[in-house]
Amino acid sequence: RVQLVESGGGSVQSGGSLKLSCAASDRVGSMGWFRQAPGKKREGVTCIDSSGKSYYTDSVKGRFTISRDNAKNTVYLQMNELKPDDTAMYYCAADHSTVCGCAGTSCVVVLGLGFDYWGQGIQVAVSS
């Protein structure tokens, strides 16, 4: 079973930046980030497939950038121009499926029932 460990969360003022990292214990195919704000459903943020192609949901396009270092089995999320609405618990996810995609508020893998592996979550708080 693949284990995921997130790091890099914290508090920042509106307009600021944070970078999240997620290290996987083994090689995986697609990796992604999801978030859940208090009282709201979990939503997709972004994913990156095994070829390095990235996808974003509408609310973060142009502000967030996902990248990966396959040698380190690690995915990163650079978050710029943060807004109070970005405040949430952020979860790293991974799957052996090599293809993923995002649309609306969802990110999915092409094969299987969804991302199989999940991190514990890390808090991001943006103050106005």
Side-chain angles (χ1 to χ4, degrees):
R1 179 174 177 82
V2 176
Q3 294 182 323
L4 304 175
V5 178
E6 301 111 332
S7 61
S11 299
V12 66
Q13 288 190 325
S14 182
S17 299
L18 281 174
K19 186 173 183 178
L20 305 182
S21 301
C22 171
S25 60
D26 202 351
R27 291 184 64 181
V28 291
S30 299
M31 300 186 79
W33 290 93
F34 292 73
R35 66 186 182 186
Q36 187 167 17
K40 294 188 177 181
K41 289 170 48 179
R42 186 176 65 191
E43 64 177 14
V45 175
T46 177
C47 73
I48 185 166
D49 66 20
S50 59
S51 72
K53 191 170 182 180
S54 56
Y55 305 86
Y56 301 89
T57 54
D58 296 341
S59 62
V60 305
K61 279 180 183 175
R63 300 188 298 123
F64 290 11
T65 303
I66 189 171
S67 61
R68 67 189 294 169
D69 183 338
N70 291 330
K72 296 181 180 179
N73 296 327
T74 299
V75 66
Y76 305 96
L77 181 63
Q78 178 66 47
M79 304 184 290
N80 298 329
E81 300 176 35
L82 282 161
K83 306 174 182 178
D85 283 350
D86 295 317
T87 295
M89 188 73 79
Y90 282 70
Y91 297 90
C92 176
D95 193 85
H96 292 297
S97 177
T98 58
V99 182
C100 68
C102 296
T105 60
S106 299
C107 293
V108 297
V109 290
V110 173
L111 298 177
L113 299 178
F115 285 87
D116 276 341
Y117 308 109
W118 293 84
Q120 293 297 307
I122 192 163
Q123 184 68 43
V124 171
V126 184
S127 58
S128 57

